[in-house]
Amino acid sequence: MSDRITVEELTELMKKSAGVTVSPEDLRQRYDSGFDAFGIDSLALLGIVGELENRYGTPMPVDAEKSKSPQQFLELVNSALLAGA
């Protein structure tokens, strides 16, 4: 398991936790779009954060669930994982 979450992993989590299917290519093209543009609300984001905490066994930054975009989310979460690695 790597210490970075990829766009591909994020799209899998979006599908698993929120039932939202987005291709990694689409997510990359709209990387700085708001999560709401993908149909992800704060509750769904909370589910994604919880899934990551279970998967990596480490708490995610408190701001992760308030991230506005996939770009902001991945930057926050990956910096936390790198710091904890």
Side-chain angles (χ1 to χ4, degrees):
M1 186 174 313
S2 77
D3 56 0
R4 285 187 67 77
I5 295 163
T6 62
V7 167
E8 287 76 13
E9 282 178 279
L10 182 56
T11 58
E12 286 171 26
L13 288 165
M14 287 165 70
K15 184 172 176 64
K16 181 177 180 181
S17 298
V20 173
T21 304
V22 180
S23 72
E25 295 75 31
D26 191 26
L27 194 62
R28 274 194 197 89
Q29 286 175 352
R30 299 191 298 157
Y31 201 46
D32 56 357
S33 296
F35 271 114
D36 53 352
F38 298 101
I40 301 284
D41 61 12
S42 57
L43 197 59
L45 205 49
L46 199 58
I48 292 170
V49 169
E51 182 66 33
L52 287 171
E53 288 178 340
N54 290 341
R55 186 180 290 185
Y56 288 91
T58 184
M60 292 295 129
V62 273
D63 293 342
E65 64 204 48
K66 297 184 185 105
S67 296
K68 299 291 183 223
S69 69
Q71 178 179 14
Q72 186 184 24
F73 182 79
L74 285 175
E75 286 171 2
L76 263 173
V77 168
N78 284 329
S79 65
L81 288 173
L82 286 169

